Amino acid sequence: MRLGLALGYWGRGPDTAHAPLAQEAERLGYDSVWTAESWGSDAFTPLTWIAARTSTIKLGTAVAQMAARSPVTTAMHALTLDHLSGGRMMLGLGLSGPQVVEGWYGRPFPASPLTATREYVDVVRQVLRRTAPVSLDGRFHPLPYRGPDGTGLGKPLKPITHPLRAGLPVLLGAEGPRNVAQTVRIADGWLPLYWAPHRPEVYGDAVRDLPAGFRVAPMVRVRVCDDVAEGLLPVKAMLGFYIGGMGHASRNFHADLMARMGYPEAACRVQELFLAGRREEAVRAVPDAFADEISLVGPRERIAERLEAWRRGPVTDLLALSPDPCTLRVLAELNS
């Protein structure tokens, strides 16, 4: 099982520790480093900054939001950074949800998310292969554009820049079983938001027979500490925000996933409290048991014991969410 460092996205401003953390992860033998975006900092610029300060560690977006850019724009970002980094780029994509797609990006959330994702990946692949001008008779991402408000003058184009790798890895963030099944068919890897080693059935049959070389790379909060309950607080804070704030009361994919993982009443309660403005209560309402099963928290010996369950399953890459260099070092030692 390979290790990766997940840095997430910025909060109020840039985190000056991110580049040194990436450098330390590279020194410790981590395979990859990943950045993200929500509705603030973007995923590609910090990754470029890190690329210039490292030399071997792979560079991934977990995730770049599809609604933020047309598929050809995303492919341009990926092929550019792949060249600048010497072939280290991995492109992780995610659809996000209606609240963000419509509220932040000002675009309609696709009526058929599976089709929209499939078309997006198709266009990205065409750009990276550069075997012919890019074209798609698509419902959500048609190329050339043929809408009633167009000029009709668009023509299929090939990228001027020759991509460094036609097979640049494309990974998808997916939560529902149908979405995960499609990810296995069309992508090179999957980025689960929550992964519990003892609950693989939550994602359906797709994870039982994966193609050779397919990456399963969940983001996992890791913290070496003496007090497990105290160490789980950042995990619960993250879950409270995602389950309560990353979606609408009537449509929240993260809350749905928590419910499928065995905590439907808690998911409803967390969402109810968060949307009522009672955020601290929402965090406290996240069950310790749920936070614990999707993270690696506690003394070194406890993490070592629990790490075995992660190794036994389909996980190929454990992406550690940890700002602590000591924790990163311990994880590297335990995984060696």
Side-chain angles (χ1 to χ4, degrees), residues 73-308:
T73 307
T74 296
M76 289 165 64
H77 279 300
L79 74 85
T80 302
L81 186 47
D82 202 40
H83 269 292
L84 291 175
S85 66
R88 292 188 278 151
M89 179 67 194
M90 293 187 288
L91 180 61
L93 300 170
L95 196 59
S96 193
Q99 186 181 50
V100 176
V101 172
E102 298 183 1
W104 181 249
Y105 295 116
R107 303 183 60 180
F109 188 77
S112 177
L114 290 173
T115 302
T117 299
R118 189 165 58 249
E119 290 182 6
Y120 201 102
V121 172
D122 186 344
V123 172
V124 169
R125 300 274 203 203
Q126 288 189 53
V127 174
L128 295 174
R129 286 195 301 265
R130 201 182 177 270
T131 55
V134 179
S135 64
L136 182 71
D137 184 17
R139 175 182 174 187
F140 298 100
H141 301 289
L143 284 172
Y145 180 72
R146 297 187 180 90
D149 55 344
T151 65
L153 301 177
K155 59 177 284 188
L157 299 168
K158 289 169 68 173
I160 296 170
T161 303
H162 290 233
L164 183 63
R165 294 180 296 159
L168 186 154
V170 176
L171 299 88
L172 294 174
E175 295 181 26
R178 291 177 60 215
N179 207 336
V180 174
Q182 174 173 271
T183 296
V184 174
R185 293 194 303 271
I186 70 173
D188 302 300
W190 172 40
L191 296 158
L193 180 61
Y194 318 138
W195 177 263
H198 303 293
R199 297 179 189 265
E201 72 282 353
V202 169
Y203 293 103
D205 295 335
V207 298
R208 293 179 183 174
D209 188 19
L210 298 171
F214 188 85
R215 288 180 180 252
V216 177
M219 285 167 280
V220 184
R221 287 272 177 180
V222 185
R223 186 178 178 189
V224 178
C225 60
D226 294 328
D227 188 332
V228 174
E230 189 271 335
L232 287 174
L233 287 177
V235 186
K236 295 177 64 169
M238 176 271 293
L239 288 169
F241 176 64
Y242 272 72
I243 293 160
M246 283 275 201
H248 190 269
S250 64
R251 195 168 187 185
N252 184 314
F253 302 132
H254 309 311
D256 293 345
L257 177 56
M258 181 179 174
R260 288 199 304 275
M261 295 182 79
Y263 300 91
E265 295 85 3
C268 289
R269 183 59 177 160
V270 170
Q271 193 174 37
E272 175 186 303
L273 290 168
F274 195 96
L275 294 175
R278 298 157 64 183
R279 297 192 175 191
E280 291 186 7
E281 291 179 67
V283 170
R284 290 197 297 271
V286 175
D288 281 9
F290 179 50
D292 195 28
E293 67 179 286
I294 64 169
S295 61
L296 287 165
V297 171
R300 178 187 177 114
E301 297 75 17
R302 185 176 194 264
I303 291 176
E305 178 183 350
R306 293 164 64 84
L307 193 61
E308 292 305 313

